[in-house]
Amino acid sequence: GFEWIDCHDMTQSVLSYLRRDGADFHVVILNFTPVVRHDYRIGVPQPGLYREVFNSDSRFYGGSDIGNGPVVDSQPVAWMGHGDSLALTLPPLGGLVLTLVGGKE
């Protein structure tokens, strides 16, 4: 399935959405500008640790390797209709895919 997280951020040219397969999901964020976005907050449907499983700006693809390290811990800050959120660094002209790897109780 598909679910928008945010399709209204015209000022920063960022789109974000969820891809679902039953209970499993991936978070996709696309930055369409040549500007790095620091501390970009995005709502997520579950609290926990999120791993970057794809970064189009990775050095493996000839990019500048701007990303979020091995995992990002969600924060209990409600955002974009979700109870938890992530503060991310978005690479320029890049896309990220994150997946939940460890939930919180």
Side-chain angles (χ1 to χ4, degrees), residues 43-80:
V44 291
Q46 291 181 20
L49 298 174
Y50 285 78
R51 175 173 289 132
E52 220 176 63
V53 293
F54 176 76
N55 178 344
S56 67
D57 194 51
S58 168
R59 61 185 153 88
F60 297 114
Y61 308 117
S64 58
D65 225 16
I66 293 172
N68 296 280
V71 293
V72 180
D73 197 1
S74 70
Q75 300 165 346
V77 176
W79 205 262
M80 300 173 181

Side-chain angles (χ1 to χ4, degrees), residues 6-16 30-33 37 40 80:
D6 187 6
C7 64
H8 301 288
D9 193 353
M10 294 177 285
T11 58
Q12 297 186 84
S13 297
V14 175
L15 291 174
S16 55
L30 305 168
N31 178 10
F32 290 99
T33 69
R37 303 279 180 211
Y40 189 87
M80 300 173 181

